[in-house]
Amino acid sequence: MSTLALPDMNLLSKSGADFVDEPLFEDLLKRKADTGKIREIIAKSKNKEALTIEETAALLNADEPEIIELIFETARQLKEDVYGNRIVFFAPIYVGNLCINDCEYCGFRRSNKEQIRRTLSVEELHMQIRSMLMMGHKRTIAVYGEHRNYGPEYIAETVKQIYSVEYKHPKTGSVQSMRRVNINAAPLSHEGYKIVKEAGIGTYQVFQETYHHATYSRMHPQDTRKGNFMWRLDSPARAIESGCDDVGLGVLFGLAPWKFEVLALVSHAIYLMNHYKVGPHTISFPRIRPASGVKIEEVAKNNLADEDFLRMIAILRLSVPYTGLIITAREPAKIRDVALGFGVSQVDAGTVIEIGGYQNPGTVQQQALNREQFHIGDERTLDDMIRHLLNNGFIPSFCTACYRLGRTGEVFMEYAKPGFIQNMCTPNALTTLQEYLSDFASPETKAIGEKVLARELEKFKDEKKRRQVCDRVERIRNTSERDLYF
Ligand code: SAM
Ligand code: SF4
């Protein structure tokens, strides 16, 4: 087995504090606010103001059906106000599943002998990315186990390799490449984050898994790198200090009680905001899925029922109005479809998490647990998913403009807050939708897509902007020009 030194705790961020105040959270979760107070909190969030943990706790404790309905309604409204009806698409690329850790819930953990271990060669990585480009993807997240073979230099190199792949469309002559490569990788030191930032990563995503100290210790053996709660908790702060200012937080729901985890997530967002003037770019909330060699009933002792899961998403929407919410294909289609309406702004589609599994665009792969990290719940292809969104009033978007124009971190927050985002995001959603329709859509998706595009273009109030967007859409339709963003 490969060895990696345990984390050096002298290398924490400048802020370096454990903000997870368990006694406070537990106390807050026992207090019930009166209906009048809860209505005031909901009104505050309607104004797009982030909520405190006390206010978040009040929403979590509310169990009257009409208040819960009001929370959903407000989440729907807020999502519309901040993000419009766009849904941004991405797909993960699993680069390698060697791992020195032994997380109880993960199929990649070192003691799982059933897992087939694999790391993509450069050629294989290129082939995988090419297959994803041939489906229409423009944004990916590269996922790695934790292993000495996957140090920051290796991650940086794979990111550069992903950016380098080009695919020329045989019919339209357009040239496709990944426009934003995010990573989901184990915590690094400042030096490591600088190296991956240099390679041009978009978001750095790291999930705390659980913020509950005792549960964290049970799930992550102490003699492993991941066993160090504080090294992981501090990693988003180190990333920001090193220039990776789009960070993605997350909890693996099912390990500890969900209301506790929501308070901790919101505390993490507030902590980053207070220290670095930038909150998390995204929050993810995977629920534990069956995985090879995982005793799911022993691990997922606090599994979340669907109705609580949806309520959790709505409450997060209210608490952190400017943070993108991601729901992955771990969840079944019926849950994803509902969540899209009141909180979620990013989804993956056509996802294959088997290493080297992207081969034949449009075909659903046979899932095999010993070759992947866990079972996915939504196997729809990208085209199916796009058609579904188009039929239900959403605009699918492949936009990657903000990151490429330097609208990240604190600057992104400035853009996001006054609601400017809609003026740039909707136009970019429409031009990238046209790219998808011209290059990759099935005839059925193309037909509905053209109608939606025409309808959305009519909605522009600013005539100059409408003309600019129409001009770009026409250029994409009639030439091989692509990537015309605002
Ligand atoms: N090795 C890196 C780490 O631990 O941060 C990143 C890669 S890991 C493959 C990505 C995420 O998958 C983990 O952070 C965890 O939340 C999630 N995950 C692990 N096992 C899972 C399971 N059985 N079901 C759903 N999600 C799981
Ligand atoms: Fe390794 Fe990450 Fe899986 Fe833990 S969650 S076993 S660190 S790949």
Side-chain angles (χ1 to χ4, degrees), residues 131 135 357-365:
S131 296
M135 289 181 200
Y358 288 106
Q359 269 134 14
N360 306 308
T363 58
V364 175
Q365 312 281 327

Side-chain angles (χ1 to χ4, degrees), residues 43-78:
K44 176 179 171 190
S45 70
K46 264 192 190 145
N47 259 347
K48 308 192 199 90
E49 282 179 61
L51 301 183
T52 63
I53 53 164
E54 289 76 10
E55 290 163 341
T56 305
L59 297 186
L60 289 165
N61 291 338
D63 45 19
E64 301 79 0
E66 74 273 22
I67 294 289
I68 293 177
E69 191 40 47
L70 188 59
I71 291 173
F72 277 114
E73 207 32 62
T74 310
R76 216 166 271 134
Q77 188 63 50
L78 261 177

Side-chain angles (χ1 to χ4, degrees), residues 25 29 53 56-57 59-60 211 251 253 256-269 283 285 304 308-309 311-317 319-320:
F25 294 178
L29 289 172
I53 53 164
T56 305
L59 297 186
L60 289 165
Y211 287 89
V251 155
F253 278 93
W258 69 275
K259 294 183 182 178
F260 176 95
E261 302 285 28
V262 173
L263 282 191
L265 266 174
V266 172
S267 299
H268 206 161
I283 289 182
F285 26 79
L304 213 66
D308 288 336
F309 183 63
R311 193 170 139 206
M312 180 274 291
I313 298 173
I315 292 174
L316 271 180
R317 182 65 300 146
S319 295
V320 287

Side-chain angles (χ1 to χ4, degrees), residues 153-213:
E153 292 81 5
Y154 174 83
I155 295 175
E157 180 54 27
T158 51
V159 168
K160 286 183 198 156
Q161 290 296 339
I162 294 172
Y163 277 122
S164 76
V165 180
E166 285 192 343
Y167 162 67
K168 187 166 179 185
H169 194 283
K171 287 207 181 105
T172 63
S174 63
V175 179
Q176 313 288 328
S177 60
M178 284 297 171
R179 298 175 185 166
R180 178 173 176 132
V181 182
N182 300 330
I183 63 168
N184 181 313
L188 302 173
S189 63
H190 287 92
E191 202 189 319
Y193 287 122
K194 284 183 191 143
I195 294 171
V196 296
K197 179 67 190 169
E198 267 293 303
I201 64 159
T203 307
Y204 167 61
Q205 195 181 65
V206 62
F207 304 157
Q208 185 61 26
E209 319 296 11
T210 173
Y211 287 89
H212 188 264
H213 296 84

